[in-house]
């Protein structure tokens, strides 16, 4: 999509019973596909005569309530299950194991208007009418498999109103790509020295106040890969005392000091040649080609709006052009 003329805020969308399982190995918050897919579906429903296209999506979460049960603090959590709706004959339905979450999120969407722009946006009746129209359309859709029960408001912003958009997102945390943090962790595990991502999104060794490199709590392992680093992020170590006169064990996680990191599915890798439309039996739709894929994981980070990058376009998730059997969702600057 070309540079956006406007940004459309769906403020505080209440979603009930969204899919809490974001991938084969992660749960708690819906996958990015759930939000980008909903906006893509909304874009397809817009009248072509309007000349309006929706693009990238910024995801901000205000509240997240995973529907699970844990009898005590040391027990495994299990998803709450239900047996509804009733069958036509009144019998209860069988249990289909699934994970659900109730959410309050705000979505900020890039808007490209090809023809004449809206003058005096805040008081333009056509812009206001269009906002009401798309809000009603989104209320009729599902988002991440959940039902939309309410939308606080819908508002258009011009591209120069970045501070106003950030203020409108408060209080919430914005989901950002943390691929650079994953590379920094990988390098730390390989070299045995701490590495961090600076404000310019560059990876550099961490040093103390005297400029000396800080050692990692883990010994160097040159054969470590990004997959090992991803597993290390989910690991909590209990380390023995450093000195003989100390009896205190300490906990260590490579995530410490790097912000709120989470595993994040960012797309799919094709593992077989694509099937032509209608060739693969029992797939969801026979209108489009199908392909067997595996989920690709990376790292994400929840960031408070005041700490978002200065280049605001980097905060929007977009579908990347498929290449080499890779189907990715990324956060590149808009072209």
């Amino acid at each position: 999509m070309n540079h956006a003329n406007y940004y459309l805020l769906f403020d505080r969308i209440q979603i009930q019973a969204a899919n809490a399982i974001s991938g084969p190995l992660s749960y708690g918050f819906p996958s990015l596909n759930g939000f980008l897919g909903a906006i893509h579906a909304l874009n397809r429903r817009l009248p072509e005569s309007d000349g309006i296209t929706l693009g990238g999506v910024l995801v901000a979460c205000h509240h997240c309530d995973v529907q699970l049960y844990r009898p005590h603090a040391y027990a495994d959590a299990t998803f709450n299950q239900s047996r509804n709706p009733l069958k036509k004959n009144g019998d209860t339905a069988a249990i289909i194991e699934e994970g659900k979450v109730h959410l309050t999120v705000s979505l900020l969407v890039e808007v490209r208007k090809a023809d004449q722009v809206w003058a005096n946006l805040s008081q333009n009746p056509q812009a206001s009418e269009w906002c009401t129209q798309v809000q009603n359309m989104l209320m009729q859709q599902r988002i991440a498999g959940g039902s939309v029960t309410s939308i606080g408001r819908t508002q258009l912003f011009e591209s120069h109103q970045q501070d106003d958009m950030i203020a409108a997102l408060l209080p919430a945390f914005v989901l950002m790509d943390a691929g650079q943090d994953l590379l920094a962790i990988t390098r730390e595990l390989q070299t045995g020295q701490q590495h961090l991502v600076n404000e310019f999104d560059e990876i550099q060794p961490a040093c103390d106040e005297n400029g000396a490199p800080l050692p990692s709590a883990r010994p160097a392992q040159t054969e470590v890969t990004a997959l090992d680093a991803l597993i290390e992020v989910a690991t909590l170590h209990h380390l023995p005392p450093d000195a003989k006169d100390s009896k205190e064990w300490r906990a260590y996680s490579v995530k410490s000091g790097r912000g709120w990191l989470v595993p994040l599915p960012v797309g799919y890798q094709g593992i077989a040649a694509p099937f032509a439309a209608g060739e693969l039996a029992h797939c969801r739709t026979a209108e489009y080609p199908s392909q067997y894929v595996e989920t690709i994981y990376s790292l994400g980070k929840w960031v408070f709006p005041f700490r978002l990058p200065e280049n605001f376009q980097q905060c929007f998730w977009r579908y990347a052009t498929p290449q080499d059997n890779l189907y990715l969702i990324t956060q590149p600057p808009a072209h």
Side-chain angles (χ1 to χ4, degrees):
M1 170 181 194
N2 294 325
H3 284 291
N5 305 95
Y6 305 100
Y7 293 91
L8 175 64
L9 174 68
F10 294 103
D11 187 36
R12 288 166 175 74
I13 308 172
Q14 303 273 356
I15 306 174
Q16 188 175 51
N19 186 3
I21 302 174
S22 58
L25 304 175
S26 54
Y27 79 94
F29 191 78
S31 69
L32 287 168
N33 272 321
F35 300 103
L36 268 69
I39 297 302
H40 178 69
L42 177 62
N43 182 60
R44 296 184 64 175
R45 297 173 62 196
L46 296 179
E48 292 186 9
S49 57
D50 290 350
I52 296 175
T53 306
L54 305 181
V57 182
L58 178 150
V59 180
C61 181
H62 302 274
H63 178 72
C64 180
D65 182 14
V66 184
Q67 301 301 292
L68 51 78
Y69 172 72
R70 177 180 288 172
H72 56 83
Y74 299 101
D76 293 334
T78 57
F79 286 119
N80 297 343
Q81 304 297 327
S82 62
R83 303 178 68 179
N84 56 59
L86 296 177
K87 294 182 177 179
K88 292 182 180 179
N89 59 4
D91 294 342
T92 53
I95 292 178
I96 300 176
E97 294 185 0
E98 52 191 0
K100 298 294 183 184
V101 57
H102 301 331
L103 293 169
T104 303
V105 296
S106 290
L107 301 180
L108 192 60
V109 183
E110 294 175 324
V111 178
R112 173 68 179 172
K113 195 172 189 303
D115 53 7
Q116 187 177 8
V117 298
W118 287 304
N120 194 10
L121 183 61
S122 60
Q123 300 178 4
N124 190 304
Q126 292 180 333
S128 178
E129 182 181 349
W130 184 78
C131 286
T132 303
Q133 177 187 357
V134 292
Q135 176 173 328
N136 292 335
M137 293 170 71
L138 191 62
M139 285 288 297
Q140 299 168 6
Q141 291 187 196
R142 286 183 175 269
I143 298 179
S147 302
V148 179
T149 58
S150 70
I151 298 176
R153 65 189 170 109
T154 306
Q155 182 179 354
L156 276 170
F157 294 89
E158 295 187 60
S159 55
H160 62 82
Q161 294 180 286
Q162 180 172 331
D163 292 342
D164 294 333
M165 287 184 270
I166 290 175
L169 294 173
L170 296 173
F173 286 91
V174 178
L175 185 57
M176 296 291 296
D177 177 38
Q180 285 294 89
D181 290 272
L182 181 60
L183 293 177
I185 293 171
T186 305
R187 196 166 300 176
E188 176 174 327
L189 296 176
Q190 291 172 338
T191 62
Q193 294 184 358
Q194 296 184 30
H195 284 72
L196 296 174
V197 180
N198 63 19
E199 58 183 315
F200 304 106
D201 210 26
E202 299 169 341
I203 300 172
Q204 62 180 21
C207 300
D208 61 15
E209 55 187 10
N210 298 320
L214 290 173
S216 172
R218 306 288 295 166
Q221 296 176 286
T222 56
E223 70 279 6
V224 163
T225 65
L227 176 60
D228 298 314
L230 193 60
I231 296 173
E232 180 67 23
V233 170
T235 306
L236 180 65
H237 297 276
H238 285 273
L239 303 179
D242 294 329
K244 292 183 179 179
D245 56 348
S246 175
K247 298 181 180 179
E248 294 293 331
W249 285 61
R250 59 192 177 93
Y252 165 76
S253 170
V254 75
K255 292 191 297 184
S256 299
R258 300 180 187 275
W260 186 358
L261 296 177
V262 290
L264 182 68
V266 292
Y268 304 96
Q269 166 75 67
I271 58 174
F275 293 91
E279 184 179 1
L280 183 64
H282 308 302
C283 63
R284 177 171 293 182
T285 174
E287 298 182 19
Y288 302 99
S290 303
Q291 189 173 14
Y292 290 111
V293 297
E294 289 283 358
T295 303
I296 296 178
Y297 272 91
S298 182
L299 274 185
K301 180 187 288 187
W302 290 106
V303 179
F304 200 64
F306 286 147
R307 302 181 67 86
L308 291 175
E310 187 175 347
N311 185 355
F312 199 51
Q313 293 182 356
Q314 290 184 359
C315 305
F316 291 81
W317 294 96
R318 305 176 183 89
Y319 290 117
T321 303
Q323 187 175 11
D324 298 330
N325 280 329
L326 284 172
Y327 307 91
L328 297 177
I329 299 173
T330 59
Q331 279 187 324
H335 299 296

